Amino acid sequence: MPPITTSPLPAAEAAVPRRRVWLRPAARQKLLAFASLLALMVFFSFASGSFLQVDNMVSILQATAVNGVLAIACTFVIITSGIDLSVGTLMTFCAVMAGVFLTYLGLPLPVGVAAALFFGALSGFGSGLLIAKLKIPPFIATLGMMMLLKGLSLVISGTKPIYFNDTPGFSAISQDSLIGDLIPALPIPNAVLILFIVAIVASLILNKTMLGRYTFALGSNEEAVRLSGVNVDFWKIVVYSLSGAICGVAGLLIASRLNSAQPALGQGYELDAIAAVVIGGTSLSGGTGTILGTIIGAFIMSVLTNGLRIMNVAQEWQTVVTGVIIILAVYTDILRRRTR
């Protein structure tokens, strides 16, 4: 009987799937985005000695917290192959409504927090209703909602900021540091902690729940989902309502950071949020996307904006650079779709 020999073939075959996982387009996009983030940080570190200072790092984290939460809200909508242009003004509207309940009515802090989340979800429900039931294209429906919410914020506030000076603990939502109390060397603001909590919950929803499965399914092939007997309109409305509630969290963060609800603020935030989502690998055609990629994209946008400001680049040129980044992100998404 000939001796039994082992072949290296099984080991080679076992290595193939592992290689394929690392070479998947989604994994490549996240690695590329993370490498771009590191490259930006290295560049701005050499360009300005003040970039890596603690105060500046905290400022970047604060800015990323707001934009990151808005980007997470956009991620759900974009995965369904939709778009939401109202997230910036919805954030402001939620901040104003929190001001109405806390400052004008003098109600307790938990009531104001609940009001921001409720009106965010309600506005998202309205957008979802327009899109799912009235069949208005998402771009037009959310554009109209953006203008509606902007007007409501100005009307309700009387075009004046609403301050939270008489609301104990409100500024702590964003500015205090629970982590810093435990580890003094890490004065990470609560806003960043909230961002990562929202990111973890959103990731679990996308990957572990029925809502997440239908979110991806709607973006992949909505008609096939409809023909399989799923109530597509219901799930689409749920997605937009959830996105609106997440915008309510962003409203609380920015109001706490400024210690006021600024009714004229918000428009333009949607562009940074959508850019962060696309840079992070979520396809504008729907069906693919990750929360981790979105967070990386949000940090890229914040580091870029902060670095340009540190280098004293004029505001108008910062806007030009942001526009170029958005165009490149969309073009990269088109190239990714062509290679599939």
Side-chain angles (χ1 to χ4, degrees):
M1 182 176 179
I4 298 176
T5 59
T6 58
S7 171
L9 185 59
E13 290 177 348
V16 172
R18 186 180 303 169
R19 197 164 121 222
R20 284 178 181 168
V21 168
W22 281 104
L23 294 178
R24 259 192 244 160
R28 283 204 308 267
Q29 177 63 22
K30 278 185 284 198
L31 288 173
L32 180 61
F34 186 68
S36 301
L37 175 60
L38 292 179
L40 281 174
M41 294 190 69
V42 170
F43 172 77
F44 287 126
S45 299
F46 283 104
S48 174
S50 58
F51 179 77
L52 287 179
Q53 291 181 357
V54 174
D55 290 345
N56 191 55
M57 289 292 102
V58 171
S59 177
I60 291 175
L61 290 174
Q62 286 275 25
T64 305
V66 174
N67 190 43
V69 171
L70 285 181
I72 290 171
C74 286
T75 302
F76 280 89
V77 172
I78 293 176
I79 288 176
T80 66
S81 75
I83 197 74
D84 193 345
L85 299 178
S86 68
V87 292
T89 53
L90 176 52
M91 172 188 71
T92 300
F93 177 68
C94 292
V96 168
M97 294 311 298
V100 169
F101 279 77
L102 294 175
T103 301
Y104 289 174
L105 300 180
L107 296 174
L109 179 59
V111 177
V113 171
L117 300 180
F118 171 77
F119 283 101
L122 182 63
S123 300
F125 176 83
S127 295
L129 206 62
L130 293 174
I131 294 164
K133 294 299 184 182
L134 300 186
K135 307 305 178 185
I136 300 176
F139 183 91
I140 302 300
T142 58
L143 178 62
M145 187 62 71
M146 177 182 74
M147 302 306 295
L148 172 66
L149 294 172
K150 180 180 180 181
L152 284 176
S153 297
L154 292 169
V155 169
I156 292 172
S157 65
T159 71
K160 298 178 181 178
I162 303 175
Y163 294 97
F164 296 94
N165 296 327
D166 297 328
T167 305
F170 187 79
S171 62
I173 294 175
S174 180
Q175 298 183 44
D176 283 8
S177 177
L178 292 175
I179 296 177
D181 292 340
L182 299 174
I183 309 174
L186 294 175
I188 298 174
N190 287 341
V192 181
L193 182 62
I194 293 173
L195 167 64
F196 285 111
I197 291 173
V198 172
I200 292 170
V201 173
S203 184
L204 290 175
I205 291 173
L206 271 181
N207 296 297
K208 301 294 183 181
T209 68
M210 184 179 295
L211 173 58
R213 290 194 293 272
Y214 284 138
T215 299
F216 284 108
L218 288 173
S220 298
N221 194 330
E222 181 178 324
E223 189 58 28
V225 176
R226 190 187 307 276
L227 293 175
S228 67
V230 175
N231 189 339
V232 169
D233 292 348
F234 170 79
W235 288 106
K236 193 172 290 188
I237 291 172
V238 170
V239 169
Y240 277 87
S241 299
L242 175 62
S243 174
I246 296 173
C247 290
V249 176
L252 290 169
L253 291 180
I254 196 166
S256 174
R257 179 184 174 186
L258 301 174
N259 203 34
S260 65
Q262 302 286 337
L265 190 67
Q267 196 165 348
Y269 276 76
E270 66 279 348
L271 298 180
D272 286 346
I274 293 171
V277 174
V278 179
I279 290 172
T282 299
S283 174
L284 286 172
S285 62
T288 61
T290 63
I291 299 299
L292 175 59
T294 293
I295 297 300
I296 295 173
F299 271 103
I300 288 175
M301 295 300 296
S302 297
V303 168
L304 181 63
T305 301
N306 180 273
L308 293 174
R309 190 178 296 120
I310 288 289
M311 293 176 64
N312 294 320
V313 175
Q315 179 64 44
E316 54 269 25
W317 281 107
Q318 293 181 34
T319 306
V320 169
V321 172
T322 302
V324 171
I325 292 295
I326 292 173
I327 292 172
L328 290 176
V330 173
Y331 182 65
T332 302
D333 176 54
I334 293 172
L335 294 179
R336 284 202 307 266
R337 293 204 304 268
R338 286 178 182 173
T339 57
R340 288 175 188 168

